[in-house]
Amino acid sequence: MRFDLADLSLFLAIVDAGSITHGAARANLSLPAASERLRDMEAASGVLLLVRRQRGVEPTRAGDTLAHHARIVLRQVGAMQAELSDHARGFRGRVRVMANSAAIAGCLPARLGPFLALHPGADIELAERPSPDIVKALANGLCDLGIVSDAADTSALSTSPFAVDRLVLVTATNHRLARERRVAFADVAGEPMIGFDGALQGQIEEQGERLGYRIRPRIRLRSFESLCRMVADGAGVGIIPQFSAQRARRSMPLSCLRLTDAWATRKLLLCWRSQESLDPLNASLRRHLALVEARSRPHSATGNA
């Protein structure tokens, strides 16, 4: 018993149309050619597949069985063709992405979602690392794409703009600074601080040392959401990316002040080793992220007015 894909497609077309004539037309065959194929299928299977009636045809029990399996086979063939097409275009596989905490807590997840939806055969391996570590990982081939602060030395890499990362001070709404719109880091460096257990905290502490302060957070937390919750409870103040502060203010009683220091406004860069080093899937993701950035507008600072 040998049915080819054309036989199965024709049989389903006839069953769905309820007519050999209409099924043949859907399969782009003449009525004699379709009838001959159908007779050959019944001869090969040794059973009657269709009951001919005055107003059309109906599948027999054997015909129902054939139609069921034909749909499965054709669906699998379609999936195979789609996957092979993705492979041919380089759109199947895994992209290794490393990003700093500001990017992961900010707009990166929202930008990756549409890409994954568009390429169901693609996976992304995402890891959070400090910007200098990401640069080293790219140089050593440990990741394919990186998102880093422009403070990192990316001279050996190709880069394009990704986003603007503005750091803000978050306070409880009853804090003495809660009604201010902006503040200098020097004016809050001595405040009780809720820290973030990540690369950002190291930068904050480094800036504090330059001002003569030894910043020792009361506690270090693994997420900006947890940090904001403690700040809202009045346990201290925190310095976090504006993206995260805007999100937290939707559900927590927080005030958000723009830090006026130059170091508090950073550009995030998308970086890679070179155009030649990217396979088609990696290159497609890079173009997607760059295109989203080109269409976006810089986020304005969040004030308390």
Side-chain angles (χ1 to χ4, degrees), residues 76-87:
Q76 290 178 331
V77 169
M80 177 191 69
Q81 291 173 335
E83 290 188 17
L84 289 176
S85 176
D86 280 349
H87 276 299

Side-chain angles (χ1 to χ4, degrees), residues 156-175:
L157 302 172
S158 298
T159 65
S160 65
F162 178 75
V164 176
D165 170 37
R166 293 188 175 93
L167 298 178
V168 296
L169 181 81
V170 286
T171 73
T173 52
N174 61 355
H175 191 274

Side-chain angles (χ1 to χ4, degrees), residues 187-208:
D187 296 332
V188 297
E191 291 282 329
M193 189 80 66
I194 305 300
F196 174 68
D197 187 12
L200 173 59
Q201 191 62 40
Q203 181 185 10
I204 294 171
E205 292 173 9
E206 179 181 342
Q207 294 298 328

